[in-house]
């Protein structure tokens, strides 16, 4: 499994990688951010639509204002989570610090974050009311790590390697 491929994955209704990543997200039974007792995915919804209700954790408008500090694409599936349509519309393109802090008032929100394989750094930043300029890049790196760890646990006993072909700057 190549971490760079995960970082650069994007949504495609027919793409194998896209469907595999979204299936992994769905298999964890993600919960709604506002109504934390509700499942986001139902079987008939997941299998009957080629346009699932996907949410950008870091919305496009927010990232466009901070583009110079982030190298990674906000359309990466690493920046995506399933949400109900109502919650997704409520969030719209708000700053993640603001909407995460609002949902964090719910006592079950940490479990909700885990149910989406989201790194805790976004929750920590919201609680501190500050995030680094390259928050999207850091978030995606952490999520790639969570996903590869989840795959290791799901595929226990199956040999596979995790590689990273990301080009690094040489000094």
């Amino acid at each position: 499994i190549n971490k760079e491929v995960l970082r650069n994955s994007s949504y495609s209704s027919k793409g194998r990688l896209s469907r595999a990543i979204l299936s992994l997200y769905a298999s964890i039974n993600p919960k709604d951010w506002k109504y934390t007792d509700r499942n986001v995915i139902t079987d008939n919804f997941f299998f009957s639509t080629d346009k699932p209700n996907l949410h950008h954790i870091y919305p496009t408008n927010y990232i466009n204002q901070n583009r110079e500090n982030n190298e990674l694409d906000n359309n990466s599936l690493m920046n995506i989570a399933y949400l109900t349509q109502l919650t997704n519309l409520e969030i719209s393109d708000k700053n993640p610090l603001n909407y995460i802090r609002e949902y964090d008032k719910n006592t079950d929100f940490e479990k909700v974050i885990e149910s989406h394989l989201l790194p805790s750094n976004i929750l920590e930043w919201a609680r501190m009311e500050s995030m680094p300029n390259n928050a999207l890049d850091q978030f995606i790196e952490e999520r790639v790590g969570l996903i590869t760890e989840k795959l290791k646990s799901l595929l226990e006993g199956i040999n596979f390697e995790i590689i990273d072909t990301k080009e690094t700057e040489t000094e």
Side-chain angles (χ1 to χ4, degrees):
I1 297 176
N2 187 341
K3 288 181 174 186
E4 183 66 358
V5 171
L6 290 176
R7 281 183 204 103
N8 294 316
S9 61
S10 60
Y11 175 72
S12 165
S13 64
K14 306 270 188 264
R16 291 178 297 177
L17 179 61
S18 177
R19 289 170 101 31
I21 292 169
L22 293 175
S23 293
L24 175 65
Y25 293 168
S27 74
I28 301 167
N29 198 22
K31 301 293 184 185
D32 187 57
W33 294 17
K34 184 172 185 175
Y35 305 103
T36 59
D37 61 328
R38 296 182 187 174
N39 294 330
V40 174
I41 309 264
T42 60
D43 289 342
N44 63 341
F45 166 78
F46 183 70
F47 292 109
S48 67
T49 184
D50 64 350
K51 293 184 179 180
N53 205 12
L54 301 174
H55 166 69
H56 286 80
I57 309 300
Y58 289 86
T60 302
N61 287 340
Y62 174 78
I63 290 300
N64 285 342
Q65 297 168 5
N66 296 290
R67 175 57 51 205
E68 69 278 356
N69 298 309
N70 292 283
E71 295 177 16
L72 298 173
D73 184 1
N74 74 302
N75 285 316
S76 166
L77 283 174
M78 300 300 105
N79 185 37
I80 297 290
Y82 282 112
L83 287 183
T84 61
Q85 183 176 10
L86 290 174
T87 302
N88 200 5
L89 288 172
E90 185 177 281
I91 292 171
S92 185
D93 62 354
K94 294 178 184 170
N95 180 324
L97 284 181
N98 298 333
Y99 75 78
I100 295 284
R101 195 169 42 252
E102 189 63 34
Y103 291 124
D104 190 29
K105 293 176 183 175
N106 186 318
T107 57
D108 293 332
F109 194 64
E110 286 186 37
K111 291 179 184 172
V112 170
I113 292 289
E114 291 173 12
S115 78
H116 288 271
L117 281 179
L118 298 178
S120 61
N121 60 4
I122 193 165
L123 192 54
E124 293 164 10
W125 294 332
R127 289 174 178 167
M128 293 185 314
E129 298 184 25
S130 175
M131 67 179 140
N133 291 334
N134 67 341
L136 173 67
D137 289 357
Q138 288 187 39
F139 174 84
I140 288 176
E141 287 302 320
E142 290 291 321
R143 195 164 195 205
V144 165
L146 289 172
I147 288 170
T148 55
E149 289 303 312
K150 184 66 172 179
L151 289 173
K152 282 182 191 177
S153 71
L154 289 172
L155 301 172
E156 188 176 346
I158 298 174
N159 289 331
F160 67 92
E161 287 184 50
I162 298 172
I163 62 170
D164 193 348
T165 58
K166 180 179 181 178
E167 293 181 22
T168 56
E169 292 181 31
T170 55
E171 293 183 23

